[in-house]
Amino acid sequence: MRRFSLKWQIENAVMKKDIKNFLAEEGISRRALADIKFAGGMIKVNGEEQTVRYELKASDVLEVSFPPEESSVHLKGEPIELAIVYEDRDMVVVNKPANMNSIPSKQHPTGSIANALVYYYEQTGVESAVHIVTRLDRNTSGLMLIAKHRHAHHLFSLMQRVHTINRTYESFVVGQMQKTAGTINAPIGRKPGSIIEREVRQDGKKAITHFELIHQYSDFAHLKLQLETGRTHQIRVHMNDLGHPLLGDDLYGGDLTTIERQALHCSQLQFKHPFTKKECVFKSTLPSDMKRMI
């Protein structure tokens, strides 16, 4: 099994700095450091095991091995084909079809992306739990970002907090749009009496969605949408509040005559790789059920 590790060649600029402070500056969380120390990880300098109090010297080679990860005992691997768009040591980008959960639920305890990933990791020797960074609703299709180890998940989470993981969606909404572009800034909270449905409400959490008209058809509009925040059902709630619910979205009043699920697809992910610092852009074309409508 391949365990995740990091290695640094120490330069003069970090001399007289101990390993603990050096790793903190490299984005290693306190929790991760505690796991490295006490849960089966290892810290080596020039091939010899050291404690975090070791003072680094020029030309030292520091290597940190993270402890092994195990999936939840309740999450079983299943031989489900994954549409992998990209994969490297730190992440996987998959193209999720509609009618498939990101993670298991009471209604759908099997057949999720997470179940497929557990099996895939077992087959390819990846020693990791499943760390989903960008989750999609069951009936939303498109790109999902998954971290392949805890440290990558931590770094992606920090990026999400400052909104540097950009997600672009395409959707079909009911009616004629009055504006070709705009921003919806309206807080979202749980609808009273429902454990699933959300609504725009003043005591909700901040939610911002940007939209742009791609094409206006006679009775529906094709939109490009970008999320600045990531609230549950955000696009669905915001467009319904604007008077343009998504086609196929029966929870929020969308028409079901032309498509049987909400017409929403994550078509692009863009972010800077947390380790290589290279700009990453991944794209996905519309699935067949949405293509048929245009």
Side-chain angles (χ1 to χ4, degrees):
M1 300 291 279
R2 300 194 300 274
R3 188 181 301 187
F4 176 66
S5 62
L6 290 171
K7 185 180 288 187
W8 296 268
Q9 176 84 45
I10 303 304
E11 301 175 354
N12 291 331
V14 297
M15 285 178 62
K16 296 186 178 180
K17 185 177 293 181
D18 63 27
I19 291 174
K20 181 179 179 179
N21 288 319
F22 176 81
L23 293 180
E25 292 180 2
E26 291 294 320
I28 308 292
S29 68
R30 290 183 180 179
R31 179 179 176 183
L33 186 58
D35 284 344
I36 293 165
K37 291 164 63 178
F38 305 117
M42 189 175 296
I43 297 173
K44 289 184 177 181
V45 178
N46 304 325
E48 296 185 4
E49 197 167 350
Q50 296 289 352
T51 71
V52 294
R53 294 186 296 274
Y54 176 89
E55 194 173 272
L56 294 165
K57 303 174 184 65
S59 300
D60 277 348
V61 176
L62 170 64
E63 185 173 7
V64 174
S65 296
F66 288 71
E69 294 187 41
E70 296 181 3
S71 291
S72 167
V73 294
H74 304 293
L75 186 59
K76 305 300 182 183
E78 299 175 33
I80 302 167
E81 185 176 355
L82 283 169
I84 296 176
V85 176
Y86 175 82
E87 180 178 13
D88 63 20
R89 180 199 67 173
D90 307 301
M91 65 182 181
V92 186
V93 177
V94 301
N95 199 14
K96 186 185 86 67
N99 304 313
M100 184 178 190
N101 276 28
S102 294
I103 61 173
S105 66
K106 287 185 179 180
Q107 295 79 16
H108 303 96
T110 60
S112 72
I113 289 289
N115 294 115
L117 284 166
V118 170
Y119 180 82
Y120 178 70
Y121 287 171
E122 290 169 351
Q123 298 302 304
T124 55
V126 176
E127 194 175 64
S128 179
V130 174
H131 302 285
I132 294 177
V133 180
T134 59
R135 190 184 300 183
L136 295 178
D137 293 342
R138 175 177 175 82
N139 290 329
T140 300
S141 57
L143 299 173
M144 287 178 57
L145 172 62
I146 298 100
K148 287 176 70 174
H149 51 83
R150 275 177 291 197
H151 185 46
H153 195 201
H154 168 67
L155 296 179
F156 279 127
S157 296
L158 295 178
M159 292 166 65
Q160 284 182 305
R161 289 181 199 174
V162 295
H163 314 303
T164 54
I165 298 177
N166 298 312
R167 292 163 288 168
T168 301
Y169 291 78
E170 289 185 47
S171 181
F172 301 146
V173 302
V174 174
Q176 297 273 335
M177 296 294 296
Q178 300 302 308
K179 295 181 178 180
T180 58
T183 295
I184 306 168
N185 187 345
I188 291 174
R190 195 185 302 273
K191 187 174 184 178
S194 175
I195 61 171
I196 299 174
E197 197 171 353
R198 267 64 173 176
E199 65 180 3
V200 169
R201 50 188 303 124
Q202 290 306 308
D203 61 350
K205 294 182 178 179
K206 180 180 180 181
I208 300 174
T209 304
H210 307 283
F211 68 89
E212 180 183 332
L213 180 65
I214 295 175
H215 190 81
Q216 179 67 61
Y217 295 89
S218 59
D219 54 356
F220 72 93
H222 182 185
L223 301 183
K224 179 173 78 172
L225 305 111
Q226 288 188 309
L227 295 178
E228 198 167 306
T229 53
R231 305 303 173 203
T232 301
H233 299 176
Q234 180 172 316
I235 289 174
R236 300 164 65 187
V237 172
H238 272 171
M239 294 313 300
N240 180 48
D241 189 66
L242 200 64
H244 300 281
L246 274 60
L247 291 179
D249 190 357
D250 57 345
L251 183 62
Y252 294 104
D255 184 5
L256 293 171
T257 58
T258 53
I259 189 169
E260 296 181 350
R261 55 100 177 185
Q262 67 241 20
L264 184 61
H265 179 76
C266 183
S267 58
Q268 182 172 298
L269 288 174
Q270 183 173 2
F271 54 86
K272 187 173 289 187
H273 196 292
F275 294 95
T276 67
K277 306 306 178 185
K278 291 182 179 178
E279 192 71 21
C280 298
V281 181
F282 305 105
K283 297 184 179 182
S284 170
T285 58
L286 290 177
S288 58
D289 61 346
M290 292 181 70
K291 282 181 178 178
R292 280 197 298 269
M293 296 182 62
I294 57 174

